[in-house]
Amino acid sequence: MHALSLLVAASVAVAAPARKPQTPAVTNIQVGPRPFWLVDQMEDSPLKTELAACSEKPIRHAPFFSISHRGGPLQFPEHSREGLYAGARMGAGVLECDVAFTSDRQLVCRHSQCDLHTTTNILLIPELAAKCTTPFEPATADSSATAKCCTSDITHDEFLSLCAKMDSSNPDATTAEEYQYGGPEWRTALYDNCATTIDHKTYIEITQSLGLQFTPELKTPEVEMPFQGNYTQEIYAQQLIDEYKAAGIPSSRVWPQSFLEDDILYWVQAEPAFGKQAVYLDPRVDTAAGYEVAVASMTDLYNQGVRIMAPPIFALLNASADGEIVPSSYATAAKNAGLDIITWSLERSGPLEPAAAEGEYYISTIADVITGDGDMYRIVDALARKVGVKAIFSDWPATVTYYANCLGFH
C-alpha cells in the first residue's frame, strides 16, 4: 500500500468517534470547481455557451431535480453523516438513505445489506469481524481475498460503532488491513478518516433539520425472508414508512424506492399517501428481453398505481446516426403511459474516456458518441430536455445542481 493508504487504514482501525451534533440548515450552497471544469471540457456548442453564461450566477438548492446519491461518494464515504452534509452543501434538494436492517431489526443506511466488508472497518474489529457471514480469507496464489459482512450479522449499536469508508477492497490482500483499500484513484480516500455511520432515524433527523426531501431505498434482502422466522418483507417495508410517520414527516416529502415491484405495490395499496410517490428502480432493463418486457408494461404499471419509474441512465438514452443523444423506447413508453421518470447515477462511471465508455454500465447505450468528460453535460441535458426526467441522482450533486440553477430545472 502507498503511504496515504497506510495512513487511512490506521485511521479506520480506531473506534468510531462520539456522535456529532447536527449543524444548522445549509443555505450557502457551493458547487466548487467541478461543474466549471466540466463545462470547459465541452466542445463548442450552444449548450456550452448556455452553461458558461451562468458561471457567476448565485446557486441555490435544486428542490427536487438534484438528488444526492448515497451522499457524495465521488469523494466521501457513502451513507455517512459527512457525505450526507456534503450532498446538502452541493445543493441537492433530495438526500438518499439506502435502508437495510440489523440483527435486532433496526433500520440503518447502507447501500447493500452485505457490503460492510468493503464500506466499513468491520474487518479490523475482531469481535465484529467474527460475526461476519463469511470471515476474511486472505488471497492465495490461486484465489482472491474474500469476505462477506452484512448489517444483519450485527446489532444496531454495533453498526453505529463502525467507521464508514470508501467502498473498496484489495483482492490481493493477505491481511484485513490490506483488504481495506483497492478502489479507483478517481474516487479519493482523502476524506476517509473514520466517517460516521448513521441509522435511518438519524438520516430523517438530519434531512428534516436541513429542510430537504427524503428518498429512502428499501434494499433487497440478501438473507432468507422472513428473517429470523417472522420478519417479513411486508413488515420491513412498513417499518420504513412508519419511521416517517413517527417523525411527523408528511408523505409529500418522501419518495420511497425499491427494485422490487412487490414493494412498490405494497406501498401503493397499504400506504397510498406514500405509495403515490414510490419510485420503481426498474431492474428489468439489464437484459434485452427484460428491457422489452419493461417497455411493454408501462400502461399496466400505471393502472396498478405506479407513478414513477427509475431505470439507470443507459435505459433512457440512445445514440443517433448523426452522433446525437436521443430518448430511448423505454423513455418514450414511460412518458406515453403518463409515468414520471427519475434516473441514476450520474458520475458513477468515473472519467468519461472513449476507450472505457464501451464497458461502462451507466452509459453503455451511448458509448459510441462519448468523447470525454465534457459529455457529462450532454448527458444531463439529454435527460432533462429530451427525456424530461423529473430528477437525476448523482455521485457529486454539484454537477446537477449547477445545471438545474443555470437552466431553471427545479
Side-chain angles (χ1 to χ4, degrees), residues 331-391:
T332 302
K335 284 295 183 180
N336 288 344
L339 292 159
D340 285 328
I341 303 172
I342 293 172
T343 194
W344 45 278
S345 293
L346 196 75
E347 297 167 296
R348 192 71 188 162
S349 298
L352 297 182
E353 300 173 3
E358 189 71 33
E360 284 293 346
Y361 177 80
Y362 294 99
I363 55 175
S364 57
T365 54
I366 55 172
D368 290 348
V369 298
I370 296 299
T371 60
D373 285 316
D375 289 322
M376 197 74 72
Y377 276 126
R378 288 181 65 209
I379 295 170
V380 173
D381 192 60
L383 291 168
R385 294 203 272 202
K386 296 179 182 179
V387 174
V389 299
K390 189 177 184 72

Side-chain angles (χ1 to χ4, degrees), residues 105-246:
R105 305 182 187 183
Q106 298 300 302
L107 303 182
V108 297
C109 296
R110 194 73 357 219
H111 177 251
S112 168
Q113 184 181 39
C114 295
D115 70 1
L116 297 184
H117 51 292
T118 63
T119 65
T120 75
N121 66 333
I122 190 171
L123 294 177
L124 302 183
I125 305 173
E127 62 271 24
L128 298 184
K131 296 184 176 185
C132 289
T133 296
T134 305
F136 174 73
E137 289 288 340
T140 68
D142 302 316
S143 63
S144 297
T146 59
K148 182 177 181 180
C149 304
C150 306
T151 59
S152 51
D153 291 335
I154 59 176
T155 68
H156 169 265
D157 288 348
E158 288 170 337
F159 173 83
L160 292 181
S161 75
L162 298 173
C163 296
K165 71 174 189 69
M166 294 299 279
D167 185 5
S168 66
S169 61
N170 176 6
D172 299 322
T174 57
T175 67
E177 288 77 9
E178 290 177 350
Y179 188 74
Q180 299 296 293
Y181 295 94
E185 291 183 357
W186 49 265
R187 190 172 287 138
T188 178
L190 182 62
Y191 302 105
D192 222 353
N193 185 15
C194 195
T196 312
T197 49
I198 57 174
D199 59 19
H200 184 233
K201 290 178 181 177
T202 300
Y203 155 79
I204 292 175
E205 291 171 2
I206 292 174
T207 306
Q208 171 70 348
S209 74
L210 295 170
L212 302 178
Q213 299 191 67
F214 309 80
T215 186
E217 181 189 332
L218 195 75
K219 297 309 298 186
T220 301
E222 294 188 39
V223 295
E224 185 177 351
M225 298 293 279
F227 179 61
Q228 297 175 340
N230 58 4
Y231 186 66
T232 65
Q233 186 71 22
E234 292 77 13
I235 291 173
Y236 176 34
Q238 186 62 52
Q239 183 180 356
L240 181 145
I241 300 299
D242 286 346
E243 294 197 352
Y244 290 92
K245 291 181 172 181

Side-chain angles (χ1 to χ4, degrees), residues 254-274:
V254 183
W255 309 80
Q257 316 166 63
S258 179
F259 278 97
L260 299 181
E261 186 176 319
D262 285 348
D263 289 342
I264 304 299
L265 297 179
Y266 173 82
W267 289 324
V268 166
Q269 295 159 13
E271 292 287 351
F274 290 88

